[in-house]
Amino acid sequence: MQEVTEIYNARVAAAFAIRQGDILVSIHCGSRGLGHQIGTEFLKRMVMVAADYGIVLPDRELACAPINSPVGRAYLGAMRAAINCALANRQVITHLVRQVFAEVLPQARLPLLYDVSHNTCKVEEHVVDGKRRRLFVHRKGATRAFGPGHPDLPPALRAVGQPVLIGGTMGTASYILAGTEEGMSLSFGSACHGAGRSMSRHQALKQWKGREVVDDLARRGILIRSPSLRGVAEEAPGAYKDVSAVADVADQSKLAHKVARLEPLICIKG
């Protein structure tokens, strides 16, 4: 749960139905389960068949295959199944959150701003060298950020661009931005989806204890609820880059424009 503490673009914020002082609920699901498993398994399969298609891999992490090959089609099918699973999972979580609010704060309204997946591959049309082409756009550590007027956006958002959600840590701000026309040509309508880690989970466990993180955030008025203190230590705020600097770069580079800043109040980890 986060409070809107600053509005940068009043017109777009109004279109998003966001006002300063609002309390918002942000839901983020990672891919350490199904998505990670699919990536790991197809990485191995693509490494094994790369030579069959004349592909030389400078690094096995760059393993790939022609999109219409058997392994390429199988990967697309598995990835799309994972996206469907993620969408359904967030719908279930959203429903449960609304049920809780209905019991505790029945006057609260929780309309959905936007639901978007990251770490995916989507078939899209973009202009390349002056020509419109059908592309498979892979976004890793990134999210779609279509600009104003894009036909794939819902009518209510089409005039201002797609919401871009840059999540912070348990102890830092998050940001809501909007896609731009410039970003369509600069990055195929893409922006970052978070600050990104500055150290691995393993390193974070060496540097922080979960209880210390919980107590430190409590002193700042931020409540943490988690079944695992190890998970809290892995996600310690200090293990991530400066999310405000990341949001500023996205804004200044015109990949997405800042709309609102959110400050954390309560964080519940699954």
Side-chain angles (χ1 to χ4, degrees), residues 27-199:
I27 297 171
H28 177 245
C29 298
S31 59
R32 296 182 71 185
L34 177 59
H36 188 278
Q37 179 182 344
I38 290 171
T40 299
E41 292 185 0
F42 278 94
L43 185 70
K44 296 176 182 176
R45 290 177 61 177
M46 290 181 179
V47 165
M48 293 175 64
V49 302
D52 297 342
Y53 299 104
I55 298 173
V56 178
L57 298 173
D59 188 310
R60 71 181 305 276
E61 293 291 328
L62 299 176
C64 57
I67 203 71
N68 289 318
S69 66
V71 66
R73 302 307 299 178
Y75 168 70
L76 276 181
M79 184 204 62
R80 286 165 175 165
I83 293 174
N84 288 338
C85 178
L87 290 168
N89 187 40
R90 291 196 296 273
Q91 282 190 328
V92 170
I93 295 174
T94 301
H95 175 70
L96 294 174
V97 169
R98 285 172 171 156
Q99 280 189 325
V100 170
F101 271 84
E103 295 175 8
V104 180
L105 292 170
Q107 70 273 28
R109 293 178 59 254
L110 279 83
L112 177 68
L113 170 59
Y114 211 68
D115 181 9
V116 63
S117 299
H118 59 264
N119 294 352
T120 63
C121 173
K122 293 287 185 67
V123 181
E124 300 170 359
E125 287 191 357
H126 291 277
V127 176
V128 181
D129 295 331
K131 296 181 180 179
R132 182 164 290 278
R133 298 183 60 184
R134 181 172 176 265
L135 305 176
F136 288 82
V137 182
H138 296 255
R139 294 184 176 94
K140 172 65 178 174
T143 185
R144 201 159 70 173
F146 285 169
H150 197 285
D152 286 353
L153 293 180
L157 301 176
R158 196 167 295 158
V160 296
Q162 177 176 330
V164 175
L165 312 177
I166 299 184
T169 70
M170 296 179 289
T172 57
S174 296
Y175 288 85
I176 296 175
L177 298 84
T180 65
E181 292 183 11
E182 294 91 342
M184 298 304 299
S185 57
L186 289 171
S187 62
F188 298 124
S190 307
C192 58
H193 84 273
R197 301 190 71 96
S198 59
M199 66 175 66

Side-chain angles (χ1 to χ4, degrees), residues 230-250:
R230 175 189 174 93
V232 172
E234 288 181 343
E235 301 293 323
Y240 284 81
K241 300 170 188 172
D242 182 349
V243 67
S244 296
V246 170
D248 287 342
V249 168

